[in-house]
Amino acid sequence: MSDYRRAFVPGGCWFFTVNLLDRRKALLTDQIESLRDAVAATRQSHPFAIDAFVVLPDHLHAIWKLPSGDADFSVRWRLINSRFAKALPVTERLSAVRFSRNERGIWQRRFWEHLIRDEADYARHVEYCYYNPVKHGHVSRVCDWPYSSFHRDVRAELLPEDWGGDTQFIGEFGERT
């Protein structure tokens, strides 16, 4: 068994990447309401603050702050993943191992987490979240991606609506045209 080393800091702030098992599917955006419901139910039973959240078709990124004295982000992801899976019909093919463990074939088993170290690290990871749909070619402007807490931050006047610019005006050599 692998020795996974996770930083458990009560009240800490983390950046996460969580992937679908089948990265060719658009399950997360196709079933966005089920994902939103799973997150909301988990936040009620196990509170946490969402500083940034972006959902792409096959993966998501999030920045969370946990309550003081609480470092258990893993249980929160387990609850979100299982609640989301339970809301969907069983249509995926299961490996023998997943079948024997009574697991669904929706999520990759592991997620990636990074403990946010300081304000600069925090800002870089928020920017990474918000720019990710542009990076993956889903939109040319950050404000055009509907599945992002970017819009909440614009309404709160934390960021301008045109933050990140427009990639359709970037030329062959990276210059703005």
Side-chain angles (χ1 to χ4, degrees), residues 43-157:
R43 287 181 77 190
Q44 284 213 336
S45 65
H46 293 77
F48 61 94
I50 296 173
D51 286 12
F53 210 103
V54 64
V55 178
L56 285 86
D58 63 344
H59 70 284
L60 61 83
H61 299 290
I63 298 176
W64 292 355
K65 286 182 186 161
L66 295 187
S68 178
D70 189 342
D72 198 353
F73 51 79
S74 292
V75 73
R76 288 165 171 85
W77 280 119
R78 183 178 48 76
L79 288 168
I80 290 168
N81 292 353
S82 65
R83 285 174 169 145
F84 179 73
K86 286 178 184 174
L88 304 178
V90 179
T91 59
E92 71 276 9
R93 295 180 64 180
L94 297 177
S95 69
V97 172
R98 284 187 185 266
F99 183 79
S100 70
R101 293 180 179 175
N102 200 27
E103 293 178 3
R104 296 286 303 268
I106 295 176
W107 300 99
Q108 288 184 5
R109 281 207 178 99
R110 306 281 182 230
F111 58 85
W112 191 81
E113 100 282 341
H114 165 79
L115 179 63
I116 300 294
R117 294 179 179 93
D118 55 33
E119 288 301 316
D121 192 33
Y122 178 85
R124 277 192 307 275
H125 283 85
V126 170
E127 290 172 3
Y128 183 86
C129 287
Y130 292 162
Y131 201 75
N132 210 250
V134 175
K135 173 186 156 191
H136 286 281
H138 297 296
V139 291
S140 62
R141 299 179 316 156
V142 172
C143 64
D144 292 337
W145 189 249
Y147 312 113
S148 173
S149 60
F150 171 78
H151 304 286
R152 174 201 64 192
D153 289 355
V154 168
R155 285 190 302 275
E157 299 181 355

